[in-house]
């Protein structure tokens, strides 16, 4: 009884392995490279427990992303205030206040790095739960580790406390000392990806338990790529316009910061001049009236041009998809085009018959002159050419109107008709067998009655 009780306890507690973990036992739990026994989590035992654990991990991930958003935007807003204080030369803030704000930015950045690390730990646990494994090394990959390191590097960029300066050579060859606060502040713009991450994690697709479960069962990853594809299908114009507007504002501010820090007295050091420079670079127009005068500004211009090419291609794709006909519209257009071509074909056929009858009548009455014969042949060849063109257009319309979807739908309809016909045949055969059995029973009863009467 004690053995059965111990086995039942092991089945109920998923953390207890099926082997003895005592020192005197000849069989111990496999530990691999880890120290101590392997604790198999709840995800490795039952499907319902995995779903519960997955729900808790998704809720935890949502809370962590909200913390990331708050910490990241707090440091970002403080950085914007410091940059504007320096550019506008506002004397309201003292040196101690500026130093306090820089320290707060560093503290928020440290907390943000901790939140990012916790987020990826939760992601690893989710992957372990989805794949029903008990060792984190079974779900990790080099690409995942590189992505985590890159994200930590991006989130760690922020202006440091104090006034750190480095030797600098301008485009025109002047040497001097320049602060790295502007470069670190511009690199801090990469932290804006947290806004997109916050929107994706709090979207209806991520919060839907049914979609998460169905995606897990169908091996579809409900990740950022899937959410962006869904948004591109549902709201393509709004998404592209939002991305364009965000890139335009962010790059304009970055260009203005670069030019104001490193070349303070020029035309594009103002926000409107930077906006014009970013606009003509983004649209790949390049009038040449303005150009960046710093290495930082040139880098921003290069990035803006690359983004402009990519967004323009995406915008063309969206506009093209918006002007594509739906299936019903294409069917209606094809039907009306066929009707019009058939009407023209009947008219051309009537003209051919009329010309042929005219030539035949003139030949019968010997009134056909050589000049009339030549004119009739020219008209007849022209009408025959029109008929061939109409027939070619009809065949092209019929070929282009049939796509893979229509073929699949037709095949499904044919298969349904065949199944229904088979069922009807089986029902008729069953009814015939039933009728034959009933007739035989009636005959047997009649024979029995006849024998009894005799």
């Amino acid at each position: 009884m004690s053995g059965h009780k111990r086995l039942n306890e092991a089945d109920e507690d998923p953390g207890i392995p099926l082997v003895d973990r005592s020192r005197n036992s000849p069989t111990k739990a496999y530990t691999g490279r880890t120290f101590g026994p392997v604790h198999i989590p709840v995800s490795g035992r039952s499907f319902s427990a995995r779903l519960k654990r997955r729900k808790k991990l998704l809720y935890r991930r949502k809370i962590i992303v909200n913390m990331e958003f708050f910490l990241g935007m707090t440091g970002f807003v403080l950085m914007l205030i410091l940059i504007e204080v320096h550019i506008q030369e506002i004397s309201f803030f003292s040196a101690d206040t500026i130093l306090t704000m820089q320290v707060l930015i560093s503290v928020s950045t440290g907390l943000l790095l901790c939140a990012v690390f916790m987020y990826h730990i939760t992601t690893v646990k989710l992957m372990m739960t989805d794949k029903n494994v008990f060792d984190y090394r079974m779900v990790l990959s080099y690409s995942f580790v590189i992505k985590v390191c890159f994200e930590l590097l991006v989130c760690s960029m922020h202006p440091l406390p104090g006034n750190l300066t480095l030797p600098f050579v301008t485009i025109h060859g002047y040497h001097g000392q320049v602060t790295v606060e502007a470069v670190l502040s511009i690199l801090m713009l990469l932290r804006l990806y947290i806004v997109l991450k916050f929107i994706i994690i709090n979207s209806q697709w991520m919060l839907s338990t049914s979609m998460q479960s169905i995606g897990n069962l169908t091996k579809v990853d409900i990740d950022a790529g899937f959410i962006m594809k869904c948004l591109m299908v549902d709201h393509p114009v709004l998404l592209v316009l939002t991305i364009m507007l965000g890139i335009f504002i962010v790059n304009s501010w970055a260009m203005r910061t670069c030019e104001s820090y490193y070349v303070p007295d020029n035309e594009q050091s103002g926000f409107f001049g930077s906006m014009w420079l970013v606009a003509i670079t983004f649209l790949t127009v390049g009038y040449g009236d303005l150009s960046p005068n710093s290495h930082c500004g040139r880098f921003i211009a290069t990035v803006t041009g690359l983004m402009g090419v990519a967004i323009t291609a995406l915008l063309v794709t969206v506009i093209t998809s918006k002007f594509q006909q739906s299936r019903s519209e294409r069917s209606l257009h094809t039907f009306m085009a066929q009707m019009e071509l058939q009407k023209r074909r009947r008219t051309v056929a009537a003209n051919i018959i009329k010309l042929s009858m005219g030539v035949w009548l003139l030949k019968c009455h010997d009134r056909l002159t050589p000049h009339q014969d030549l004119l009739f042949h020219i008209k007849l060849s022209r009408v025959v050419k029109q008929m061939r063109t109409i027939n070619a257009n009809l065949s092209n319309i019929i070929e282009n109107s049939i796509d893979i979807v229509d073929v699949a739908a037709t095949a499904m309809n044919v298969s349904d008709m065949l199944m229904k016909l088979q069922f009807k045949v089986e029902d008729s055969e069953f009814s015939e067998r039933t009728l034959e059995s009933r007739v035989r029973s009636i005959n047997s009863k009649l024979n029995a009655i006849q024998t009894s009467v005799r």
Side-chain angles (χ1 to χ4, degrees):
M1 293 296 291
S2 61
H4 290 290
K5 183 177 180 181
R6 186 178 301 171
L7 183 60
N8 293 330
E9 290 177 355
D11 290 336
E12 292 177 358
D13 185 10
I16 300 176
L18 297 179
V19 294
D20 192 4
R21 290 183 290 180
S22 62
R23 294 183 178 179
N24 299 324
S25 176
T27 57
K28 297 182 180 180
Y30 173 73
T31 58
R33 296 182 181 178
T34 59
F35 296 97
V38 176
H39 295 279
I40 301 176
V42 179
S43 61
R45 290 300 176 183
S46 63
F47 185 73
S48 60
R50 287 169 56 194
L51 290 179
K52 291 179 182 179
R53 180 179 175 82
R54 196 172 191 280
K55 186 177 181 180
K56 292 179 181 179
L57 291 174
L58 288 174
Y59 181 72
R60 186 187 303 174
R61 188 178 67 173
K62 177 186 173 183
I63 295 176
I64 293 173
V65 170
N66 293 339
M67 292 172 56
E68 287 183 18
F69 180 76
F70 175 74
L71 294 171
M73 292 304 102
T74 300
F76 186 76
V77 171
L78 292 175
M79 180 271 296
L80 289 178
I81 295 173
L82 287 178
I83 294 296
E84 293 301 322
V85 167
H86 177 81
I87 294 175
Q88 302 294 335
E89 297 180 355
I90 301 174
S91 60
F92 177 76
F93 292 90
S94 62
D96 295 335
T97 304
I98 293 176
L99 181 61
T100 303
M101 294 176 67
Q102 290 177 346
V103 171
L104 288 176
I105 292 174
S106 299
V107 172
S108 65
T109 302
L111 295 176
L112 176 62
L113 293 176
C114 296
V116 170
F117 191 71
M118 292 171 57
Y119 170 82
H120 287 293
I121 290 176
T122 308
T123 303
V124 171
K125 291 181 179 179
L126 273 171
M127 294 166 63
M128 293 169 60
T129 304
D130 293 338
K131 296 183 179 180
N132 196 16
V133 296
F134 58 88
D135 195 343
Y136 68 92
R137 290 170 298 180
M138 301 176 68
V139 296
L140 289 182
S141 60
Y142 289 108
S143 60
F144 181 80
V145 175
I146 293 173
K147 184 179 71 174
V148 173
C149 295
F150 180 75
E151 186 173 359
L152 292 173
L153 178 62
V154 167
C155 293
S156 63
M157 294 178 182
H158 69 286
L160 301 174
N163 189 13
L164 181 62
T165 58
L166 293 174
F168 181 76
V169 180
T170 64
I171 294 176
H172 304 287
Y174 297 104
H175 296 266
Q177 296 289 326
V178 67
T179 179
V180 297
E181 183 180 2
V183 176
L184 293 175
S185 300
I186 292 171
L187 291 176
M188 198 175 176
L189 293 174
L190 297 174
R191 192 180 292 187
L192 289 176
Y193 83 95
I194 298 177
V195 178
L196 182 61
K197 187 178 180 180
F198 174 78
I199 295 173
I200 289 174
I201 295 298
N202 289 275
S203 62
Q204 58 179 350
W205 295 283
M206 280 291 185
L207 298 178
S208 177
T209 307
S210 59
M211 179 169 286
Q212 291 287 341
S213 302
I214 294 173
N216 186 22
L217 292 174
T218 56
K219 304 300 180 182
V220 175
D221 295 330
I222 312 297
D223 52 2
F226 178 80
I227 302 299
M228 291 299 294
K229 291 177 183 178
C230 294
L231 291 175
M232 197 65 189
V233 172
D234 295 339
H235 311 285
V237 178
L238 180 61
L239 180 62
V240 174
L241 292 179
T242 303
I243 293 174
M244 291 179 63
L245 183 62
I247 291 174
F248 178 69
I249 295 174
V250 170
N251 290 2
S252 299
W253 184 88
M255 180 66 72
R256 175 229 185 183
T257 303
C258 285
E259 299 296 315
S260 299
Y261 260 86
Y262 302 121
V263 190
D265 297 326
N266 58 357
E267 187 175 356
Q268 61 261 28
S269 61
F271 192 73
F272 291 104
S274 300
M275 288 178 64
W276 173 246
L277 178 59
V278 169
I280 60 178
T281 306
F282 184 84
L283 298 174
T284 64
V285 177
Y287 291 112
D289 53 345
L290 294 179
S291 60
N293 295 318
S294 62
H295 295 289
C296 179
R298 288 185 174 183
F299 176 76
I300 297 298
T302 304
V303 174
T304 302
L306 294 175
M307 290 181 176
V309 172
I311 297 299
T312 303
L314 185 62
L315 183 62
V316 169
T317 304
V318 171
I319 294 175
T320 304
S321 64
K322 284 297 180 181
F323 280 99
Q324 285 182 351
Q325 292 179 334
S326 63
R327 188 177 178 184
S328 57
E329 292 173 348
R330 187 171 63 252
S331 300
L332 177 60
H333 178 261
T334 303
F335 177 74
M336 295 304 297
Q338 287 180 355
M339 292 288 291
E340 184 66 25
L341 287 175
Q342 288 175 359
K343 187 186 298 183
R344 290 174 56 189
R345 186 170 64 176
R346 286 194 294 268
T347 303
V348 172
N351 291 332
I352 292 173
I353 295 173
K354 183 171 65 176
L355 288 173
S356 302
M357 290 296 293
V359 172
W360 180 75
L361 290 175
L362 289 175
K363 284 184 176 181
C364 290
H365 295 85
D366 294 331
R367 295 180 182 178
L368 184 63
T369 62
H371 180 67
Q372 291 177 345
D373 190 12
L374 180 61
L375 289 177
F376 275 119
H377 278 87
I378 293 173
K379 291 181 180 180
L380 187 61
S381 62
R382 188 183 304 167
V383 173
V384 170
K385 185 177 181 181
Q386 292 179 0
M387 177 63 74
R388 290 175 179 174
T389 304
I390 291 172
N391 290 331
N393 292 333
L394 272 174
S395 62
N396 289 331
I397 289 176
I398 294 173
E399 289 178 0
N400 294 328
S401 63
I402 300 174
D403 53 0
I404 299 176
V405 178
D406 295 332
V407 173
T410 305
M412 290 180 65
N413 293 331
V414 170
S415 63
D416 292 338
M417 292 176 62
L418 290 175
M419 289 179 65
K420 291 179 181 179
L421 183 61
Q422 184 178 0
F423 289 152
K424 289 181 178 179
V425 170
E426 292 178 355
D427 291 339
S428 62
E429 291 178 355
F430 177 75
S431 60
E432 290 179 358
R433 291 194 298 269
T434 305
L435 184 60
E436 290 178 358
S437 61
R438 289 182 179 178
V439 169
R440 290 176 182 175
S441 62
I442 291 172
N443 290 331
S444 61
K445 289 180 179 179
L446 288 175
N447 293 330
I449 292 171
Q450 290 178 359
T451 55
S452 63
V453 170
R454 292 177 182 177

